[in-house]
Amino acid sequence: MTRTLFTPYALNSTITLNNRILMAPLTRSMADDDLVPTQAMAQYYGRRAEAGLIISEGVIIRPDGQGYPNTPGIFSQAQIEGWKNVTAAVHNNGGKIFAQLWHTGRVAHPYFYQNGNADAAVLAPSAIALEGTVPRMRELTYITPKAANAIDIAGLVADYAQAAENAIAAGFDGIEIHGANGYLIDQFLHHDTNKRSDEYGATPENMVRFPLAVLDAIINKIGNDRTGLRISPAAYFNVAGDHKDRAVFDHLLPELEKRNLAYLHIGIFDDSVEYDYLGGSASSYVRANYGKTLVGVGSYNAQTASSAINADKFDLIAIGRPFIANPDYVAKVQKNEALVEYSDEMLLSLV
């Protein structure tokens, strides 16, 4: 039974969702060369507006946040105008959409933004390179980043806040801060990527300082009712886990709860995986330490997600690849119709 998925859910007094199914953020690399959303993207998101909430693909907050080709930005007026077409398409079809604000940190590459500046830097908590090459552009090897200084950090906080303001101007109903999956904010939260000894490293209190500064600056701009956050307490992508990470998230979660966010969203590929330093799955750890609205994700289908919600494991479910294969995912699940199976070649077009 999936009936639970189709009950409305109030995030707060500002935003009520028509159902508990969220479209997860899915990188599609379909913006134009100026990182402006295209009409094809507007059609793509508009067709999926039956989701209770769409979380957009990651949206770059400023040029040096880019780590993949043709990922859309929200730092230029042209980009804001492009997103207006997307949000209008979703709203015209009765849906709601949040922008996922993204800076990739050490996963960025100057190829995308150096514009002839040989000194263009990659910013991260510490000068520790990610091994490997850029997906879809294997000729680009990751470089050793610059450890962000106090001026860099202040600039990043301000640019996250400006990006949130730009998102609201573009018609988004709110934003989700991408604090997961080994990107910039997540890099501050894990010992593998944060080797700092100043006020932004070494202790849980210090390691959460930058993420909370970003969060507070955004809340100050657009309100906590329009602000969500995605986190990855289980290091599983672009970063290695460390048992000491548990203490960082033990400190972070109560701080997040105080801020009355629209929701907290787990970043994980497969939520059935258990982590010894978390005492179980990522979602079970967060649920035990965070009492407000929680979004589950990671290899759930409609049936298992509905069962998990009924068992109070989380409140909402974010569905990823099935939404790529099935623009009408919500209607199909509600009618108990067969779903088209996802395949990787579907990533080559926006339908």
Side-chain angles (χ1 to χ4, degrees):
M1 294 293 291
T2 60
R3 186 178 305 165
T4 300
L5 298 180
F6 300 99
T7 57
Y9 186 88
L11 295 179
N12 45 53
S13 61
T14 306
I15 300 172
T16 296
L17 310 182
N18 291 333
N19 57 65
R20 295 181 183 232
I21 300 172
L22 279 57
M23 178 175 161
L26 296 158
T27 299
R28 302 305 310 273
S29 294
M30 292 291 185
D32 71 16
D33 289 342
D34 294 317
L35 310 188
V36 174
T38 62
Q39 187 57 37
M41 289 170 60
Q43 294 169 352
Y44 168 81
Y45 283 109
R47 293 185 68 193
R48 290 157 174 83
E50 285 185 323
L53 176 66
I54 293 172
I55 307 170
S56 81
E57 61 204 283
V59 181
I60 303 302
I61 66 162
R62 64 188 217 179
D64 69 356
Q66 186 179 357
Y68 303 88
N70 297 98
T71 47
I74 200 159
F75 52 84
S76 76
Q77 191 58 44
Q79 292 161 1
I80 293 170
E81 295 301 319
W83 280 117
K84 286 180 180 178
N85 295 328
V86 175
T87 58
V90 172
H91 293 153
N92 289 343
N93 289 335
K96 293 182 174 68
I97 182 169
F98 274 30
Q100 189 192 58
L101 302 185
W102 193 22
H103 191 297
T104 63
R106 70 172 185 164
V107 186
H109 199 286
Y111 170 86
F112 298 115
Y113 55 85
Q114 63 185 3
N115 294 322
N117 177 11
D119 296 323
V122 170
L123 289 178
S126 300
I128 303 170
L130 176 66
E131 293 185 7
T133 57
V134 175
R136 307 190 192 199
M137 302 187 74
R138 297 296 182 185
E139 70 276 14
L140 299 178
T141 301
Y142 291 117
I143 69 172
T144 301
K146 169 193 170 185
N149 61 31
I151 294 173
D152 296 326
I153 288 173
L156 285 163
V157 171
D159 288 337
Y160 267 105
Q162 185 61 57
E165 196 168 42
N166 292 350
I168 299 303
F172 284 98
D173 298 284
I175 65 91
E176 174 181 289
I177 303 165
H178 197 346
N181 297 12
Y183 297 116
L184 179 64
I185 289 174
D186 198 33
Q187 290 160 24
F188 275 87
L189 296 171
H190 292 278
H191 286 273
D192 178 54
T193 44
N194 186 343
K195 304 294 186 183
R196 302 175 73 103
S197 58
D198 64 359
E199 67 268 35
Y200 295 99
T203 69
E205 293 80 3
N206 288 344
M207 292 172 72
V208 305
R209 191 181 306 277
F210 171 68
L212 290 178
V214 170
L215 187 58
D216 290 341
I218 288 175
I219 289 171
N220 186 56
K221 285 282 190 180
I222 67 169
N224 56 359
D225 54 336
R226 297 190 182 276
T227 302
L229 172 66
R230 196 176 199 192
I231 61 168
S232 293
Y236 69 103
F237 185 61
N238 291 328
V239 61
D242 187 307
H243 280 67
K244 297 191 297 294
D245 293 346
R246 167 67 182 263
V248 179
F249 285 88
D250 282 351
H251 184 79
L252 177 65
L253 289 170
E255 290 296 323
L256 298 180
E257 189 160 330
K258 293 176 188 175
R259 286 161 170 82
N260 291 314
L261 303 176
Y263 62 79
L264 188 62
H265 182 186
I266 304 297
I268 195 74
F269 291 153
D270 184 354
D271 197 37
S272 67
V273 177
E274 297 195 346
Y275 296 84
D276 55 354
Y277 62 93
L278 297 181
S281 69
S283 65
S284 64
Y285 162 70
V286 175
R287 190 57 146 181
N289 292 277
Y290 182 83
K292 298 187 182 295
T293 297
L294 183 63
V295 180
V297 70
S299 298
Y300 289 95
N301 59 35
Q303 290 73 29
T304 58
S306 183
S307 297
I309 290 171
N310 288 332
D312 198 33
K313 293 183 178 180
F314 42 77
D315 304 291
L316 304 165
I317 182 65
I319 298 292
R321 290 178 172 181
F323 254 119
I324 294 177
N326 301 271
D328 53 350
Y329 176 86
V330 173
K332 282 183 173 176
V333 170
Q334 195 163 22
K335 297 174 184 175
N336 199 29
E337 295 178 356
L339 297 173
V340 175
E341 188 173 351
Y342 167 84
S343 60
D344 285 343
E345 61 266 20
M346 293 176 180
L347 292 175
L348 300 177
S349 64
L350 284 172
V351 179

